[in-house]
Each structure stands twice: as C-alpha cells, then as structure tokens.
Amino acid sequence: AENANQIEDLEKKLTEMSKASPDPDKTRELMGELAMAYEAEVEKVEDKSQQGEFLYKAAENYEVTSQFNKAVSLYQRIANDYAGHKRESDALFKQGFIYNNKLGDTLSARKAYETFITKFPQDELVKDAQWEIDHFGKSEDEILDELLRNQQGEAGETESKL
C-alpha cells in the first residue's frame, strides 16, 4: 500500500506540474521516480493483467526520460511474460521503434517489428512497422526523394487514366 500511495503522489505531482509551470528537468526526475515505483509495484500485485499494466507504464516513463535500454527491456518482458496482455502489441511495436530510432540497432528493430507483424497482422500499426523495416539505413534525404518519386509516379498514373 505504501508504494501505491507513492505512485498516487507522484502522478498527482506530475499532473499539477504540467498544469502550473512545467519544468522539464523536474518533470523528467518525477517520471523517472514514477517508472521505478511502477516497476516495484509489479512485485506486489498478484494480478497478471495489473502487473503487465504497471510494466507498460514504467516502460513509457523510461522511454520519455530517454532511458531507452530500460524501456526496451520492460517492453520485451511484457512480450515474453505477458503474452495475450492488451499491451503486448504496443510493447512489441515500441520496442522496434526505440531500437531503430533511438538506439540505432536495426537488427533488433527488425526482429521486434517482424514479431509484431507476425503476431498482430491486423494491428493498425503494421503499415508503420513495415515502413520502418523498408527504410532501415536510409537517410532523410533518400526517404524524401523516394516519397517524391512515388508521388510523381502516382500523379503520372492518374493522368494516363484520364
């Protein structure tokens, strides 16, 4: 119960701070504390669904505070230990996203995204995951050139149909 109160207090402080005058350093500090409190709470609750939810919230807070390795390991833990949890698909996607966009590890990103696509083929983020895979290692300029070529190609197809 002590930790649950700590979580409530931290969440309240965070909400109040965001309404008042947000201080980025203080916010990051609170979110880091909150992540640790959520993680500690996992050991104290019996319910698997609640455990998965606390892990997910901890991972999100670690992600926001740029503690990407901690976030990825918790997202991985959700995917491994909480299969079927409502957050499993998001955890797999976010894992791929962090590996690719924050840690520059395309090998791990590909594995996470492919697992996500295989396990959740109907998910609305499948197109985003596939786009990420298709653009691994490409610079922003290369991606922009490709988008422009595709747009010109589509415009040409439309004209030829008229």
Side-chain angles (χ1 to χ4, degrees), residues 104-122:
D105 181 350
T106 53
L107 204 63
S108 297
R110 177 180 298 279
K111 189 176 168 205
Y113 280 141
E114 287 176 350
T115 302
F116 166 73
I117 291 168
T118 302
K119 285 186 92 170
F120 302 98
Q122 302 303 316

Side-chain angles (χ1 to χ4, degrees), residues 32-90:
E33 286 178 39
L34 196 51
M36 289 186 289
Y38 285 138
E39 212 173 348
E41 193 65 16
V42 172
E43 310 307 321
K44 296 183 174 94
V45 293
E46 299 285 321
D47 182 57
K48 289 280 275 186
S49 179
Q50 256 189 315
Q51 290 173 349
E53 193 61 32
F54 282 127
L55 283 174
Y56 189 82
K57 286 179 174 184
E60 282 185 314
N61 279 281
Y62 284 134
E63 185 180 348
V64 171
T65 58
S66 301
Q67 296 179 67
F68 301 118
N69 288 315
K70 282 186 177 182
V72 159
S73 75
L74 291 185
Y75 287 137
Q76 181 64 51
R77 188 169 158 197
I78 293 166
N80 289 346
D81 301 347
Y82 298 85
H85 191 279
K86 67 180 181 179
R87 299 288 198 171
E88 182 187 6
S89 63
D90 288 341

Side-chain angles (χ1 to χ4, degrees), residues 130-148:
Q130 189 59 57
W131 189 91
E132 289 260 331
I133 291 170
D134 294 343
H135 293 86
F136 282 156
K138 291 185 181 176
S139 71
E140 288 181 12
D141 288 341
E142 289 171 311
I143 293 171
L144 194 57
D145 286 346
E146 183 182 318
L147 290 171
L148 290 171

